[in-house]
Amino acid sequence: MKRLLAILLAALALAGAAPAVAAPVDTGHLETELVGRDLSVAPGATTYVALRQKIDKGWHTYWRNSGDSGEATRIQWTLPAGWRAGDIVWPAPHRQPTGPLMNYGYQGEVLLPVPVTAPADARPGQIVTLTAAATFLVCEEICVPEQATLTFSLPVKEGLAEPDPQWGRKVAEALAAAPAPAGLTGVFARQGPVVALAITGPALKGLDLADAYFFPFESTVIDHAKPQPIERGPEGLTLALTPGYAFQQPQPPKALAGVLALGGKAFEVSAAEGALPAAASGLGPPPKAASSGAGLGLVPAALFAFLGGVILNLMPCVFPILAMKAAAFAGHAHERKAAQGQGLAFLAGVLATFLALAVILIAVRAGGAAVGWGFQLQSPPVVAGLALLMLAVALNLSGVFEVGASLQGTGAGLASRNGMAGAFFTGALAVVVAAPCTAPFMAPALGWALTQSAPAALTVFLALGLGFAAPFALAPFVPGLLTRLPRPGPWMDVFRKALAFPMYGTAAWLAWVLVVQAGNIALARILAAAVAVGLAAWLIGMGQRRRATGRGAAPAMLAGALLALLAAAAAVWPNYAEPAAEAASTGEAEAAIPYEAWSPEKVVAAQAAGKPVFVNFTAAWCVTCQVNEKVALSRQGVADAFSQTSAVYLKGDWTRKDAVIEAELARHGRAGVPLYLVYGAKGGEAVVLPQILTEGLIVRALNDARAR
């Protein structure tokens, strides 16, 4: 009998070692219950009990700071005497854009752990009941307040507690992933319209900074709906936050506290007002790994750059210069050594110019300017100078004046005039006119390069130059290739003069770009300068002809050179105003598809209205962009697709410098335009389209976006 009683007591003790499981409660739009990390708790020890939420698809609840609207989940505990429940350990939230608002919260399943401490005099063997009255605001397009009263039975037992076999691991993982201090140093400072928040520390090393976002604990310190542009530094990053209501008060905040989420991790950060550390900025915005070359590495990035450079030869902006080079090679078709020398000189000109542009670009970005590939064409004086240079090249090809030789032997001697110096200059000129183009493979490579150290970036640009120069640098070394070209003769002079017309077209196009950038007054200035350059070229040519016949040529040539300098100075004088309103609106009036100027807020608003969004980041000086406009975006089939899908068309014009557009390009791992993004009607991130568009590609992308 005593043995039987002992067995029964042991069975009861074992039964008391596990908490009783209460059934989950369905509140209407979520299922909730209390779950434990441990099977028991020792007297005086702390365990964790989590409020589990399994939220219906499409619905969400809120973080401790709900953002622009909403309300955080609350728990009111009823505990036995001496027992204590701490604050919720909040997991890192997710952004929840809703129309023009930005909220913070959770979807799917989430565990909110709470520390529960037993009193030191808790009696082992007893089972206590913990009661939690939980209130939720559950939202989709509408918000519904819901509540549940939940209970959890927890045994008291001496010794180390065993983990709950069903929920122990999940609660422990939630605690491990929850934001916690990690030795990060935060400093903030008001800088004009933004609050710059600089965060540094070893914990950030090796993390992808592209998706970094600061979730403040207080709801009034920032404008939640505004983007948070990121600047990378050697030891951290700086976020540009739009100040909220609290910063409009007589005594603005002296501290900022919240969660920094990035790279799949989250950290608690507390920042004091002060001078920003230099180590938190200076390397430009980081690329976005999901759609860019952020994870390429040096070797793949260099390979992509090389392939992009080869393909760049096929872009329309480079045709005139490469045709000139082909004509020069034709003159040496039967002089292998001379052709090889010209090929190497062309290579040297290409590499020198690519590296010079890269050094300037890296230096300017290090200074904090928002620039990318083709940055030089965002400057009206540079565009004006290039337009006049192209005009001078065209006049030279037309025979108005000569470079480096007299008129003697103009026809058959064309190749001899275009020696090493001419080949080097042709390579440099080819790079200059190639800047408005971006070929496939180039975008991820350059996007990666501009977030790396200077040596890595220069290596990628060097690979780009090698790919660009390779076809013409290697052609003379291929036996039998040049011999297939016709022999030099009078046809070369005709061909040379025919090549002048693409250069005239390039000069006219650059003049149009200048007008888009600087308004109608720039047109008058560039046309006047063009007339002066034409007169200067004629005077120089007249002097060359007089010298060829033995007559004096110095006065005419000197007058022509002086006039050319004056014309160039007048055209590039850096006093260009913003484009006039009528000039800025011309493109919109002629557009086949109505569009609006891009902004992050418009993307959010369109998606909130259930509409797909097509974003076109373009520039007037981007030849690839303009070709895509004509061959794809102006097609009737594309216009019909926009109408049928109710898609919103947004344009980000980067013709002039724009820091917000530059930050968005960098977020997608791009250093220049074009960039085409398609956002789904139901929200989410954008799909990046190829840089060369077709009508069918756009139509399919819009139809897919309507369904996602």
Side-chain angles (χ1 to χ4, degrees):
M1 187 68 179
K2 290 183 179 180
R3 185 174 181 180
L4 178 60
L5 181 60
I7 294 174
L8 290 175
L9 290 174
L12 289 173
L14 289 173
V21 178
V25 176
D26 190 337
T27 64
H29 297 96
L30 62 80
E31 182 182 276
T32 184
E33 62 181 320
L34 294 177
V35 297
R37 183 190 66 177
D38 304 314
L39 288 175
S40 62
V41 63
T46 298
T47 187
Y48 283 87
V49 177
L51 177 68
R52 172 180 173 262
Q53 301 175 41
K54 184 178 180 182
I55 308 164
D56 289 354
K57 185 176 181 180
W59 294 73
H60 59 265
T61 58
Y62 293 95
W63 186 54
R64 56 180 292 180
N65 169 19
S66 60
D68 287 323
S69 64
E71 185 177 348
T73 297
R74 306 293 178 192
I75 306 175
Q76 182 66 44
W77 291 93
T78 301
L79 305 174
W83 289 71
R84 301 192 313 274
D87 296 329
I88 295 174
V89 180
W90 294 92
H94 301 287
R95 283 172 278 177
Q96 298 169 339
T98 304
L101 307 179
M102 177 64 73
N103 299 325
Y104 306 139
Y106 310 104
Q107 295 177 319
E109 183 181 70
V110 63
L111 298 179
L112 304 183
V114 175
V116 175
T117 303
D121 59 356
R123 182 168 51 85
Q126 73 175 136
I127 299 176
V128 299
T129 299
L130 312 178
T131 302
T135 57
F136 317 90
L137 185 65
V138 196
C139 299
E140 189 195 30
E141 293 182 359
I142 62 171
C143 290
V144 180
E146 298 179 358
Q147 60 186 9
T149 299
L150 307 170
T151 60
F152 183 77
S153 297
L154 181 63
V156 179
K157 182 181 178 182
E158 292 282 6
L160 187 64
E162 297 180 12
D164 183 284
Q166 181 178 0
W167 294 105
R169 182 176 59 83
K170 290 187 176 182
V171 175
E173 289 174 351
L175 288 167
L184 298 178
T185 301
V187 180
F188 76 92
R190 188 70 182 263
Q191 294 183 343
V194 303
V195 172
L197 173 61
I199 303 171
T200 56
L204 301 180
K205 292 290 185 181
L207 295 181
D208 180 13
L209 307 183
D211 60 347
Y213 193 89
F214 178 68
F215 298 92
F217 289 152
E218 299 295 330
S219 63
T220 60
V221 292
I222 70 169
D223 187 333
H224 306 287
K226 293 295 190 294
Q228 299 182 3
I230 306 166
E231 172 78 8
R232 190 170 63 96
E235 298 180 11
L237 76 162
T238 299
L239 297 170
L241 309 176
T242 302
Y245 174 77
F247 279 94
Q248 301 171 11
Q249 303 308 301
Q251 293 185 350
K254 298 298 182 183
L256 285 179
V259 169
L260 176 68
L262 75 169
K265 295 182 178 295
F267 307 99
E268 277 193 18
V269 174
S270 181
E273 188 175 20
L276 301 182
S281 61
L283 298 180
K288 184 178 179 183
S291 58
S292 71
L296 280 179
L298 180 59
V299 174
L303 178 60
F304 272 37
F306 182 85
L307 294 175
V310 173
I311 299 173
L312 190 59
N313 288 284
L314 304 177
M315 308 306 286
C317 52
V318 192
F319 283 164
I321 300 299
L322 297 186
M324 291 171 55
K325 193 66 223 153
F329 278 154
H332 291 290
H334 304 279
E335 301 175 23
R336 185 177 178 184
K337 289 186 177 180
Q340 290 175 349
Q342 280 210 8
L344 294 176
F346 178 80
L347 172 65
V350 167
L351 294 183
T353 310
F354 259 118
L355 291 178
L357 283 176
V359 169
I360 296 172
L361 176 58
I362 293 169
V364 172
R365 287 176 65 91
V371 296
W373 177 245
F375 69 98
Q376 66 274 20
L377 293 178
Q378 292 178 323
S379 169
V382 172
V383 173
L386 287 176
L388 296 182
L389 176 62
M390 296 301 144
L391 176 61
V393 171
L395 292 170
N396 171 249
L397 292 172
S398 294
V400 177
F401 73 105
E402 303 299 326
V403 177
S406 67
L407 289 178
Q408 297 173 347
T410 296
L414 173 63
S416 63
R417 270 202 320 278
N418 290 334
M420 297 294 188
F424 183 93
F425 174 75
T426 304
L429 194 61
V431 175
V432 171
V433 299
C437 287
T438 305
F441 297 104
M442 277 180 60
L446 295 184
W448 180 87
L450 292 180
T451 63
Q452 306 303 310
S453 63
L458 291 175
T459 300
V460 173
F461 275 94
L462 180 65
L464 179 62
L466 288 172
F468 183 61
F472 283 93
L474 297 178
F477 294 89
V478 180
L481 179 61
L482 293 181
T483 57
R484 296 179 180 274
L485 296 174
R487 291 182 176 275
W491 69 270
M492 294 185 63
D493 187 50
V494 176
F495 184 48
R496 174 203 184 197
K497 291 178 179 177
L499 290 177
F501 292 96
M503 301 308 294
Y504 285 125
T506 302
W509 165 67
L510 286 169
W512 171 74
V513 172
L514 182 65
V515 173
V516 173
Q517 289 179 327
N520 292 335
I521 188 63
L523 178 62
R525 292 172 63 176
I526 195 65
L527 290 179
V531 172
V533 167
L535 177 59
W538 177 74
L539 288 173
I540 293 173
M542 183 176 66
Q544 290 175 332
R545 287 186 288 272
R546 287 174 61 87
R547 188 171 61 184
T549 58
R551 294 176 289 172
M557 296 180 67
L558 181 61
L562 181 60
L563 189 60
L565 289 175
L566 291 175
V572 304
W573 187 263
N575 185 27
Y576 285 93
E578 291 292 327
E582 62 272 16
S585 62
T586 301
E588 187 169 353
E590 298 175 352
I593 306 171
Y595 65 86
E596 299 179 37
W598 169 85
S599 71
E601 293 78 12
K602 289 181 181 178
V603 174
V604 172
Q607 287 188 293
K611 296 181 179 181
V613 185
F614 182 91
V615 182
N616 174 9
F617 289 105
T618 182
W621 43 260
C622 170
V623 177
T624 308
C625 305
Q626 303 309 318
V627 171
N628 284 334
E629 291 274 356
K630 297 300 181 184
V631 303
L633 285 166
S634 62
R635 299 288 185 177
Q636 186 60 46
V638 172
D640 292 342
F642 270 96
S643 177
Q644 293 166 4
T645 60
S646 300
V648 176
Y649 184 16
L650 302 178
K651 272 192 182 182
D653 191 346
W654 208 39
T655 301
R656 295 180 71 96
K657 294 178 182 178
D658 187 305
V660 179
I661 291 178
E662 196 272 344
E664 186 68 11
L665 292 174
R667 196 171 77 88
H668 291 275
R670 299 299 170 89
V673 291
L675 174 62
Y676 304 104
L677 306 176
V678 179
Y679 291 86
K682 299 178 182 178
E685 288 292 337
V687 172
V688 180
L689 298 187
Q691 292 162 277
I692 306 299
L693 297 181
T694 64
E695 178 181 353
L697 177 68
I698 300 173
V699 171
R700 287 193 299 272
L702 291 176
N703 287 330
D704 291 344
R706 178 172 55 179
R708 63 177 176 83

